[in-house]
Amino acid sequence: MALRLDGKALAAQLERELEARVRAGLGQAGRPPGLAVIRVGHDPASAVYVANKERACGRVGIRSFATHQPADTDQQTLLKTIQQLNRNPAVDGILLQLPLPRGLDGRALLLAIDPDKDVDGLHPLNLGRLLRGEQGPRSCTPAGVMALLQRAGIALEGKRALVVGRSILVGQPMALMLQQANATVTVAHSCTVDLLARCREAELLVVAAGRPGLLGAEAISPGTVVVDVGIHRQPAQREGDRGRLCGDVRAGEVETLASHLTPVPGGVGPMTVVMLLVNTVRCWARSHALDPVLPELH
Ligand code: NAP
């Protein structure tokens, strides 16, 4: 039976470690870390994500600067909001909650965020820093996967890793981070020929295809470490039911074959949120010349 890579438990542990670091650094810094989350419009899922992030900030001692703008806010107004937050010395991290309402140019807005406050790690400069192996905020979801693997003591050096998915948000930075940890990395995508054969060759499989239940027993060799990044809500079975969450992997089939498996929910999701806090506290520590925060994590 696969060992469960419990992201919920590790995220709680990392929150405690961050809270202690914030408490210890308050005297020297003279203020708590600050995270600004910009939400535009009324996407219900975004409202839940932002509320979760704010609660998590509260637990760690990060001050939240929430900005909620109406759906018809224009590009210029949002640019001004970002520029003000860039200049605000109490704000260490800025996050633009995606997706944005139609008509807004998300790329231009992400580009306007000060790269040193880009706690989502999506600014081209930070993606470039990752490519070059230089310091800088790392994309939260793949950084969360790396932290899970690291704290579980899973050695990556020399491992055959397959990343399914090549998005800028997950697949591409994931592949770079695994490569930097000296894994031998293959990236699969929608045009990959014989995906199942590629999967069966892998010793570590990270699945971020955004396809519910894409891979099952047929894709796993015994002893593989399986990380399921996908998250989907299944159709409700009964009226009033919300429908269960599932991933890109059919967990029930894989758990008897894999050596380790991330659950959905409770695997990669909580790690994504906690890495946002890690990035914020790191930016705060850097700007106050405090010791590096959780330097052993990527
Ligand atoms: P995305 O932008 O839609 O990218 C999906 C990638 O998967 C693309 O590169 C696509 O290939 C590839 N792909 C799609 N179908 C495939 C198939 N049948 N075989 C092989 N590759 C296939 O999605 P994303 O933003 O990376 O997110 C992926 C999943 O992770 C989603 O379910 C998302 O909800 C989830 N997610 C979870 C968290 C979390 O915190 N748990 C965070 C972020 C994302 P092409 O490039 O060829 O189109």
Side-chain angles (χ1 to χ4, degrees), residues 45 128 181 183 282 288:
R282 280 179 175 162
H288 293 93

Side-chain angles (χ1 to χ4, degrees), residues 120-198:
D120 237 358
L122 295 179
H123 191 287
L125 182 71
N126 287 323
L127 292 169
R129 284 169 167 165
L130 170 62
L131 184 66
R132 294 176 63 100
E134 292 171 2
Q135 266 205 354
R138 296 290 195 246
S139 187
C140 296
T141 300
V145 172
M146 294 303 286
L148 255 182
L149 297 173
Q150 211 161 353
R151 288 283 174 111
I154 295 170
L156 295 173
E157 187 158 323
K159 279 253 161 75
R160 285 188 306 276
L162 177 71
V163 179
V164 184
R166 57 176 168 182
S167 72
I168 290 293
L169 187 66
V170 187
Q172 300 279 8
M174 185 77 256
L176 287 170
M177 288 179 202
L178 289 169
Q179 220 178 94
Q180 273 163 20
N182 293 327
T184 301
V185 185
T186 304
V187 178
H189 44 75
S190 63
C191 302
T192 296
V193 175
D194 206 352
L195 175 67
L196 296 181
R198 300 289 81 73

Side-chain angles (χ1 to χ4, degrees), residues 7-58:
K8 196 172 168 196
L10 179 55
Q13 168 66 30
L14 291 175
E15 278 190 9
R16 287 191 290 275
E17 293 176 30
L18 285 175
E19 193 271 336
R21 281 301 312 266
V22 169
R23 213 165 358 98
L26 266 181
Q28 187 172 327
R31 64 163 180 86
L35 173 66
V37 179
I38 306 170
R39 177 157 80 94
V40 191
H42 300 285
D43 178 55
S46 293
V48 174
Y49 292 144
V50 171
N52 284 343
K53 287 168 187 169
E54 283 172 3
R55 272 198 297 274
C57 280

